[in-house]
Amino acid sequence: LGDLALAARLGLAGVCFHLGYAKGHGSEAEAIDAAARKLGQVLAEMPAGGCAVIENSCEGSEIVQDLAQLGALVRSLAAPREQLAVLIDTCHLHAAGFDLGTADAGERLAGALDAAGVLDRVIAFHLNDCEGPAGCKRDRHAAPGEGSIGAGLRSIVRHPAFAELPLILEVSLA
């Protein structure tokens, strides 16, 4: 709530975060339910002008690794887009098992986001390539064009559904 209040005061687009882990819960479903309850409380107390931005994940017991799960969570909260949005990290999505390393990646991604009911909530991308293959479950970024997503990144950038969205590169200088 503190971060959301600061972002609202500064006029920022929102606060991006991961929802957490299933570890410590009886099941992944219980973890998602707990995250939805907590996020619902945050949304209810969030200051005017705040926007919570969920980022997808890919490693270990992190929750919201697939788009259907993300969509179900967002729909369960029934918050307006201005208060609850989505940021897609391409490395995370690819590593979680959604293969973005194809020439039609943009079209398939737009279709999957639409089917999950969150296409209109995507406000930005972390446009990262992935060191490992699709489904590797490892968040290891590669320089754009040097990983297993490769040309799929161009397909995403060029897709009309994503053409106007901010694209943030997360690269390592090492």
Side-chain angles (χ1 to χ4, degrees):
L1 280 172
D3 292 341
L4 286 163
L6 178 60
R9 277 197 313 273
L10 295 173
L12 302 179
V15 175
C16 181
F17 62 96
H18 291 275
L19 281 170
Y21 296 86
K23 186 177 181 177
H25 296 273
S27 68
E28 185 177 53
E30 287 179 21
I32 292 169
D33 288 345
R37 278 192 311 278
K38 291 175 186 175
L39 185 52
Q41 292 168 347
V42 167
L43 293 171
E45 298 176 32
M46 186 169 58
C51 183
V53 183
I54 300 171
E55 180 177 349
N56 60 304
S57 60
C58 68
E59 288 191 321
S61 71
E62 286 180 306
I63 58 174
V64 188
Q65 293 190 24
D66 69 60
L67 299 178
Q69 197 176 65
L70 174 63
L73 175 82
V74 168
R75 283 190 308 279
S76 76
L77 293 165
R81 181 189 185 275
E82 298 76 34
Q83 293 178 342
L84 183 62
V86 171
L87 178 141
I88 297 297
D89 185 304
T90 53
C91 176
H92 296 176
L93 191 60
H94 187 74
F98 190 103
D99 188 354
L100 294 173
T102 61
D104 67 343
E107 187 65 30
R108 287 186 307 102
L109 179 56
L113 289 164
D114 189 42
V118 295
L119 179 60
D120 65 329
R121 290 182 183 264
V122 177
I123 63 168
F125 278 86
H126 283 167
L127 193 72
N128 304 309
D129 212 326
C130 186
E131 284 185 4
C136 67
K137 303 290 187 185
R138 302 290 293 163
D139 182 13
R140 300 294 181 269
H141 298 178
E146 295 181 9
S148 59
I149 299 174
L153 292 175
R154 282 191 294 279
S155 175
I156 293 165
V157 170
R158 292 178 178 154
H159 193 279
F162 312 129
E164 301 299 320
L165 296 177
L167 306 168
I168 303 159
L169 291 174
E170 295 177 306
V171 295
S172 172
L173 298 176

